[in-house]
Amino acid sequence: MSYILGFFNFIQGLGANVMMPIIIFIFGIILGTEKGKALRAGLTVGVGFIGLNLVINALGANLGPAVEQMIKRFGLSLSVIDVGWPAAAAIAFASTVGMIIIPVGLIVNIVMILTNTTQTVDVDIWDYWHFAFTGALVAISTGSQMMGVIAAVLNMIIIMVIGDYTAPGVEKTLGLPGVSLPHGFTGAYAPIAIVINKIIDLIPGVRDIDISMEKVQKRFGVFGEPILIGTSLGIIIGIIAGYGIKDVLTLGITMGAVLVLIPKMASLLMEGLLPISDAASEFINKRFSKKGKMYIGLDSAVGVGHPVTLSVSLILVPLTVFMAVLIPGNKVLPFADLAVIPWMFVLITPVVNGNGFRALINGIIVLAVGLLISTNLAPLITIAAQNANYTMPSGATQISSICDGANPLTWLIVRINDFGWIGMAVIAVVAISLAIINRKRILKEAHEMEQKA
């Protein structure tokens, strides 16, 4: 067992940029893709991920100082520090649940595929840390590692179902055919967006407001293009931060570049995935019946490039900082994870069909509630960090994050387990029920595909 865990720890330590090309290559060979094509696909996916990370790092490196300056300029002071997702991932993987989450997650995915309870082959195993994060907090709150592992598994089942359900929207709105996004952070916001979207539909006048990038570009011409929208929002953030003219312009041009480059890197990644996706469909159709359409599960980073997702996220950066001060009961000072706000919107954007107004309403609500969630989970996250020998920021007594500290699904699973095994049973019933409902939908879809064939 120690050798097996050591192997998976080694794989985990490689990081997504190295791990994804290897997984895609092996997956392609298993599916019968020619070795040369599989190798090229894997390397292209790796290049796409590296390109995405370079642009995303540029986003964080430029937004971070602006936010820090904003905080200093307005004298904001809150007691819980947002340490960001890299720290949260490290804390999750350092836990007992995190040590076994990759083999456990692979087993869960295989069982769900064989039982027709998912259509997704989730190759994004590095992001299993989101499930481990939930499990680690449950293990601390209940004092039971077994309950932590079960919580992580149930979290994954729910997210896999959400990934299947939202995959058609990912294909249509985000332009990612054959891809689903079973991402523990991103997926948690899709059900909330569905509810908020239906509420908006009931409000006369408001339901007719539609701000789409196509309409903006049609109305404003070149001034409605993503490059100018990003530049304008970057300049506004720089002005709010009190930057000088040089830094304002630098931030503006960098944000404009981000809105242009992220979609291009995502399209490069898709170029590598398409032959594997086609091979997966052919493989499933030949060897299995009643499977319906199959999807490759990826990191939601591939979907952050939609103009609505990025534009709304940039608007929300300064808003989130000010909401943190104004919301009663919040103790979290948002900082490191402000750059991951786009990940919240990757599935919200398809749910609202690319409507920027509805996306913004969703964003304000989920971030306002998310700050309170991250405040509530801060004591558990701090204990998890101490257990992982994480070095606390200077002067900080507690830490939290937006990703996954503000995750509503994580919070729900953690807090319902305050009721012990009764709470766990409730989550289990919900997860299994969703899987059964998903199975019925998959079998119906497969039957319809057989009839058309």
Side-chain angles (χ1 to χ4, degrees):
M1 177 62 85
S2 62
Y3 288 111
I4 294 172
L5 291 177
F7 170 76
F8 282 109
N9 285 335
F10 171 74
I11 293 295
Q12 167 195 315
L14 292 176
N17 290 346
V18 175
M19 194 171 66
M20 286 304 296
I22 296 173
I23 292 173
I24 293 297
F25 171 71
I26 295 172
F27 190 46
I29 295 297
I30 293 172
L31 295 173
T33 309
E34 293 178 13
K35 291 181 181 178
K37 286 186 178 179
L39 179 60
R40 185 182 187 280
L43 291 175
T44 304
V45 167
V47 171
F49 262 105
I50 289 173
L52 272 174
N53 286 330
L54 286 172
V55 181
I56 289 166
N57 288 340
L59 173 67
N62 285 273
L63 269 184
V67 171
E68 188 173 10
Q69 186 63 31
M70 215 181 294
I71 290 168
K72 289 179 180 178
R73 186 182 186 195
F74 293 97
L76 307 182
S77 179
L78 295 163
S79 60
V80 180
I81 305 299
D82 166 23
V83 293
W85 74 265
I91 291 166
F93 274 134
S95 68
T96 302
V97 180
M99 290 175 62
I100 63 172
I101 191 61
I102 291 180
V104 168
L106 289 172
I107 292 170
V108 170
N109 193 191
I110 291 168
V111 170
M112 290 186 73
I113 291 171
L114 293 176
T115 56
N116 283 321
T117 49
T118 189
Q119 296 167 283
T120 296
V121 180
D122 189 4
V123 301
D124 182 32
I125 62 177
W126 195 87
D127 271 323
Y128 287 6
W129 77 262
H130 295 281
F131 312 130
F133 187 85
T134 299
L137 297 189
V138 169
I140 291 169
S141 66
T142 62
S144 168
Q145 295 297 334
M146 177 61 70
M147 290 188 75
V149 173
I150 295 172
V153 168
L154 296 176
N155 189 0
M156 181 174 181
I157 292 171
I158 293 170
I159 290 296
M160 293 295 289
V161 173
I162 292 172
D164 286 348
Y165 184 81
T166 55
V170 168
E171 184 169 272
K172 177 184 175 184
T173 306
L174 304 184
L176 300 173
V179 170
S180 72
L181 305 175
H183 191 273
F185 178 61
T186 301
Y189 297 96
I192 297 172
I194 292 170
V195 172
I196 295 174
N197 205 39
K198 290 187 179 297
I199 292 173
I200 293 175
D201 283 336
L202 299 175
I203 305 174
V206 176
R207 64 188 175 203
D208 299 323
I209 302 174
D210 184 4
I211 303 175
S212 66
M213 296 310 297
E214 291 80 6
K215 291 182 178 180
V216 169
Q217 285 183 243
K218 186 176 180 180
R219 181 169 183 179
F220 296 101
V222 68
F223 295 100
E225 292 181 3
I227 189 170
L228 284 170
I229 292 174
T231 301
S232 300
L233 290 172
I235 288 172
I236 292 170
I237 292 172
I239 292 171
I240 295 173
Y243 276 0
I245 184 66
K246 176 187 173 182
D247 291 334
V248 166
L249 294 175
T250 300
L251 182 60
I253 293 172
T254 302
M255 293 303 102
V258 165
L259 260 68
V260 172
L261 292 176
I262 285 183
K264 292 185 182 297
M265 293 302 103
S267 66
L268 180 63
L269 190 146
M270 282 306 303
E271 180 186 328
L273 281 176
L274 281 175
I276 306 300
S277 178
D278 292 341
S281 298
E282 186 177 345
F283 183 89
I284 294 296
N285 291 333
K286 281 184 178 180
R287 292 167 176 80
F288 301 96
S289 60
K290 298 181 179 179
K291 289 292 179 186
K293 184 173 181 178
M294 296 299 293
Y295 299 98
I296 296 177
L298 294 177
D299 188 325
S300 54
V302 301
V304 298
H306 194 283
V308 165
T309 297
L310 290 172
S311 299
V312 171
S313 298
L314 288 178
I315 291 171
L316 283 167
V317 167
L319 278 180
T320 303
V321 174
F322 292 117
M323 281 196 296
V325 178
L326 297 175
I327 294 173
N330 173 59
K331 296 180 181 178
V332 174
L333 179 63
F335 176 53
D337 261 349
L338 286 171
V340 305
I341 289 178
W343 272 253
M344 283 184 168
F345 288 92
V346 174
L347 290 180
I348 290 177
T349 298
V351 168
V352 300
N353 200 27
N355 186 328
F357 171 75
R358 295 190 179 205
L360 182 60
I361 297 300
N362 271 276
I364 291 171
I365 293 172
V366 297
L367 279 166
V369 175
L371 288 169
L372 295 176
I373 288 174
S374 58
T375 298
N376 183 262
L377 292 180
L380 290 177
I381 295 172
T382 303
I383 294 171
Q386 291 167 345
N387 291 344
N389 296 318
Y390 173 77
T391 303
M392 298 284 285
S394 178
T397 56
Q398 288 189 343
I399 61 170
S400 192
S401 67
I402 293 175
C403 175
D404 268 357
N407 187 323
L409 181 57
T410 294
W411 178 83
L412 181 63
I413 293 174
V414 170
R415 286 309 170 203
I416 202 167
N417 275 287
D418 288 344
F419 297 96
W421 286 106
I422 294 175
M424 184 66 75
V426 171
I427 292 294
V429 168
V430 171
I432 294 169
S433 298
L434 288 173
I436 292 171
I437 293 169
N438 199 37
R439 171 182 162 83
K440 291 180 179 178
R441 183 191 60 79
I442 291 169
L443 294 177
K444 180 181 178 182
E445 181 182 299
H447 179 67
E448 291 173 351
M449 288 175 66
E450 285 180 3
Q451 286 186 323
K452 288 180 181 178

